[in-house]
Amino acid sequence: MRMRGSGAWVSTCGGGGRAASERRVGAGAGGWCRGLRLHLHLHRPPSSPLLSPLRRGSSTPPEMSGAREKKRAKKMRNQPASVTLPAEPGPFGGGGSRACPTPGDVRSEQQQKFSNQSSGLPYRKDQYFSKGQSRGERGRGRGGHQSVSEEMPKYITVSAFAQARAAEISAMLKAVSQKSSNSLVFQTLPRHMRRRAMSHNVKRLPRRLQEMARKEAEKAVHQKKEQSKTKCRKARRRHINLVAEFNHRQRKNIWLETHIWHAKRFHMVKKWGYCLGNSPTEKSYRACYRAMTKQCLLQDLSYYCCLELTGKENELLKQLARISSIDTGLTFQEASCLSGRFEGSLNLYRADRYPEGMLGPVTFIWKPRDGSENRQLWIWVHPALKQDILKELKAIFQCSEPEEICISEPVTASVQEEKQMEVVTSLGNKRKKEDKEGEKAVPVKKIIGDGTRDPFQSYSWISRTTGIAVSDRSMEILRYRLIGPLSHSILTETLKAASVQTEMADSETELNNWWVENCKDSEKVSLHQCQSAVFELLEGMTSPSDMPPGTILGLTVGDPRVNLPKKKTKAMPDFEKYQDNDKVRQLYLKGVPADCAHSFIWDHDICKNVTENKISEQDLNHMRAQLLVPGSHLDLGPCESKIPILLVQQPGKMAGEDRRGWGSGWDIYLPKGWGMAFWIPFIYRGVRVGGLQEALKHSEYQRTPHTPNDFPDCQAGMQFAKELETSLLEKFKRRPPAKRANYVKLGTLSPFICPWGQLTKNWEGRMKASGGFLCPSSPHPDCCTTEGQTLCDPKAEVVREAFPENGEAEETMEITSSEGALKTEDLTSTQDFGERDETKTSDCIVLRSEKLLMQLSAWCYPTAGKDRRIRLVSRLGQKEMTEDVFLPILMSYPRALVWVHLSLLRKGNPELHAMICIPKEDDLLRLSKDKLFCGPQEPKHRDIFKDKVQKQKEEKKKKKKKDNVKSLESDPAGIPDEEAAEDHEDLVLGLWSDALPDVTSHCSRTVLGYVTRGDFSLAVGCGEALGFVSLTGLIYMLHNQPADKKGLVLLRTPASLQYRFARLTIEV
């Protein structure tokens, strides 16, 4: 028998009562031992431990390296206890083999073989060859039968030999069959034999290992199936009651019903007590503009607050007239709006304080008359303006006590809510359902986004003298806005008018019971059919701007989830169906009939019924699963929910002469709880969703003020400017000093906030100092010439000295601020950056009189050399610009701002807080001669605060050293030094740190106003800006400009010295 696999060969032969034994301990120079007829060859698989053969050597083996010792220990750690490794025999000279032992020495030699286990040497590549034997002689050595036969023993005892080998064979078989590591089959191969595809393709392995790899793969598949029963990490981490968790997370910032949808796709910001989507995470700036221009953009405006007034019409109009003015446009008494057919918009002021005390812009909707004395009025306000307007409404209507019947409405919980509360309390104490005092339990809300309804606060107030009730219905009515020419097409495809129903689907539930009762009235059924017919006519219109501005259409629709398409589609108008229809033409001219503006959404009880009896998504999906044909239309029949809605047309851009109707669309008002049920069907019709930034761009392209950014005369606008200044200042300080712009050298006094109060005060001071406009006004506009700074600027000589013609940078800061007559008198010597805005924005108003704005708009228009100015003035019925006309305006509004639009003549990109300046006569002359002249440059200013900042740094270093010494000595004398250091705490390199000087004459060009929003406009293909200018400065500029250069101004960004020419217009 010949055995190989553990580094040993055993050969036996029997015959004539003799037995011979041969054991090969190492590979000697004499070759292999031969002599038996039967061979047993055992293969060692790669996963079994390797029993290394003994290395030839002397009785004192050499020392092994540390790496080889670790490698051998790793191989031997899982071997059975009965397996040992022998010590290698010494070398033999002459390349001959070692002689076989005598029969008596067999057992002693076996003991010697296994006695050297601890001192066994590692495997060596050339251990089978002697020093004198080459690699080519190995074959001849194996074939030397005669030399081997001479050294073979004469006999062995078979029983003793078999008993000795039995333990070794058993240990070897156990090691072969038992896996000694956790590695896979392909991981046991040498690195040079491994392939990447072995992990999933068994045929990449050697043939002898493929079977074992198949078994491992089958075992892994079974293990995966067993592991799939357990939940994934995301599922394990979900709260046990998601609604309770969501309501807990919106205690400080309320979520809209579409919050989770937005949170996955938008950058979220926390503003005005809400968590809102700011902008999409994907690149969509141009895509959103294309959607507003050619397709449809969807926005969630549910964060807007709805204030409801209920009472007698005369009492309501009498008090509301105190907080509005007919001088600014529409009022609450407008006949078209009072009937309920159209939506109105106006600006609210504090009672009897017009034109001061601005509260903010609002939109309002009257409920159509239904024969009763009481009327309902909805006033929609921005959340930043809500508290001020609500406080003023309660004051004028004398609503001091809360209405008792409305307190219990948010507290009342349905049976389902009570059951849900019991479940929450029994689930554990992960989220404690207690208020701040820990006494009263807060009920779990069923609707995500209903976080504004605190059950322990009142939301309705009633006046005992007049009976007028003021209610806060914020988050009770949802509001979506569709912008773009395809808005009406998306509405008609998504929404379908509700079918008439005269019988209850289920007597046990209250589902659609209000609809069944109203369908029994023939007048209401005919009204619903008329509304449905008008709604279907919208499908043939090319754009929502074709409708009269602010048109209101009431409607009752079915569940939009039933009509959900299988995949996203793009809604398109159907021109062939309604192209020549007379009804469409009548709709263009006369609008929606007055009766069609009625909607059941005005009824609180109906809205509550619709919200509580909504079919859940789970039930709806279960019904879809039971359809015989998967994917077919789901017909709920009488069980389909009926939802009252209100559609309000948004007219888009109405001011100006270009792009009329751009940005028009529809607003849709829904009962709460139905937000996502309408949102997803709109998405599936191909709309693009926008956030706060898209709303800002929408108003920018319409050239209308955005709330609250562009209302510097109201409290919300001041707060917004203060927060913006703080954020920009922090961002400025985070940059290294070497990477900051030095605004003092650039001549920018206030780069982070617009000093409106300072601007209007300085212009008022200039007018008083000059005694009015000294230049006599000519009755012919063509004869007017530019007089530069000499007309009403007493500091013209000082400015000329500060800015010489050679363009050298002179010391201008000290000269400009040295005159006391034109400096602000109320300002202290040092002011904090955060406190300065109150002084800047407290003493100015914004001119909103339509009559005066139209007059100014006519004066800003140039003649272009063809008497265009005279024809335009005569067409508008405006007066010529004379002192008799504009001096009374200046006396009535000495500190007023005017909202203006600026369009750059050539290249340039206006930025936030850019300065609007008056061009000099030389600038206009260069522009007339050189059409490529972009604009002049501002000379560099000297930084007068640089030495103060350096001195402050040195003082801080000295103070730090003194503090270190005094801390050791415990001397309390360092307190005055700390107070002295606090005086220079506001000094920042590159910023104006003292009281602002005259902002109008600080630079080489007189400052007229500031930009609040500016960017490259995709609508007109050039840079556009919106901002405010001083009314006094505007009239001064127009009075002294040539007739063909009227309205030309200069723009300069805060971090640049380059002026750019722009055209100033006032759109009314």
Side-chain angles (χ1 to χ4, degrees), residues 680-968:
I680 297 301
F682 284 147
I683 300 297
Y684 269 72
R685 262 68 183 194
V687 302
R688 180 172 286 273
V689 182
L692 296 178
Q693 290 299 319
E694 284 68 34
L696 184 66
K697 286 297 176 184
H698 179 241
S699 63
E700 182 178 331
Y701 288 145
Q702 287 187 2
R703 301 171 187 172
T704 56
H706 188 72
T707 310
N709 309 22
D710 302 322
F711 289 87
D713 55 341
C714 73
Q715 193 64 34
M718 298 178 193
Q719 181 67 23
F720 174 82
K722 183 178 179 180
E723 294 173 357
L724 181 62
E725 181 193 21
T726 304
S727 64
L728 292 178
L729 181 60
E730 290 177 355
K731 184 178 179 181
F732 178 79
K733 289 181 178 180
R734 284 197 299 266
R735 299 177 67 89
K739 303 300 180 183
R740 300 175 188 168
N742 192 324
Y743 291 109
V744 179
K745 289 186 176 181
L746 294 171
T748 305
L749 292 176
S750 182
F752 305 137
I753 192 171
C754 300
W756 303 118
Q758 180 85 353
L759 177 71
T760 54
K761 269 185 191 176
N762 293 153
W763 272 108
E764 184 185 18
R766 292 168 71 97
M767 188 179 67
K768 289 180 180 179
S770 63
F773 294 107
L774 301 179
C775 179
S777 61
S778 172
H780 303 288
D782 297 336
C783 302
C784 296
T785 57
T786 304
E787 297 294 337
Q789 300 277 354
T790 60
L791 189 60
C792 68
D793 193 356
K795 296 181 61 182
E797 297 180 1
V798 178
V799 174
R800 287 196 188 96
E801 292 176 3
F803 301 97
E805 294 181 359
N806 56 8
E808 295 179 1
E810 299 289 339
E811 185 176 333
T812 61
M813 298 296 182
E814 297 173 347
I815 297 175
T816 317
S817 61
S818 61
E819 297 289 337
L822 298 178
K823 285 180 65 176
T824 306
E825 300 152 2
D826 322 313
L827 295 176
T828 58
S829 59
T830 56
Q831 273 190 322
D832 184 283
F833 285 103
E835 298 174 354
R836 192 187 299 164
D837 57 18
E838 297 179 1
T839 308
K840 292 179 181 178
T841 58
S842 58
D843 298 332
C844 66
I845 62 171
V846 177
L847 182 66
R848 295 185 175 91
S849 173
E850 285 191 350
K851 183 179 178 180
L852 295 179
L853 289 175
M854 291 185 69
Q855 181 69 74
L856 292 173
S857 176
W859 289 343
C860 291
Y861 215 89
T863 60
K866 294 183 179 180
D867 291 336
R868 188 177 176 187
R869 165 101 308 275
I870 300 174
R871 291 203 305 269
L872 182 64
V873 170
S874 61
R875 179 166 59 88
L876 295 176
Q878 305 299 331
K879 301 177 182 180
E880 292 292 336
M881 190 175 185
T882 60
E883 286 190 4
D884 298 336
V885 177
F886 64 72
L887 282 180
I889 300 176
L890 295 178
M891 297 301 293
S892 302
Y893 301 95
R895 295 185 181 179
L897 299 173
V898 182
W899 175 256
V900 296
H901 164 253
L902 302 159
S903 179
L904 292 176
L905 297 185
R906 291 177 183 84
K907 64 179 181 179
N909 191 20
E911 297 177 1
L912 181 67
H913 301 151
M915 290 166 282
I916 307 172
C917 303
I918 300 175
K920 289 184 178 181
E921 184 179 1
D922 297 340
D923 301 333
L924 297 176
L925 289 176
R926 288 190 62 182
L927 180 63
S928 346
K929 295 178 181 179
D930 185 7
K931 297 298 181 182
L932 300 178
F933 178 59
C934 295
Q937 277 199 346
E938 174 74 15
K940 279 190 177 182
H941 295 229
R942 190 177 72 86
D943 189 357
I944 63 174
F945 300 101
K946 185 175 181 180
D947 297 336
K948 295 182 180 180
V949 173
Q950 294 293 337
K951 186 177 179 181
Q952 180 185 356
K953 288 184 178 179
E954 294 175 0
E955 288 179 357
K956 285 184 177 180
K957 289 181 180 178
K958 293 179 181 178
K959 178 182 174 297
K960 190 175 182 181
K961 292 181 180 179
K962 290 181 181 179
D963 291 343
N964 293 336
V965 175
K966 290 174 183 178
S967 61
L968 299 175

Side-chain angles (χ1 to χ4, degrees), residues 42 341 812 1059:
L42 299 178
R341 290 183 60 195
T812 61
Y1059 288 95

Side-chain angles (χ1 to χ4, degrees), residues 290-309:
R290 286 195 297 266
M292 289 186 283
T293 306
K294 299 179 181 179
Q295 301 167 9
C296 183
L297 184 79
L298 175 63
Q299 291 178 330
D300 189 355
L301 301 184
S302 301
Y303 60 91
Y304 268 71
C305 304
C306 178
L307 303 178
E308 184 181 79
L309 304 181

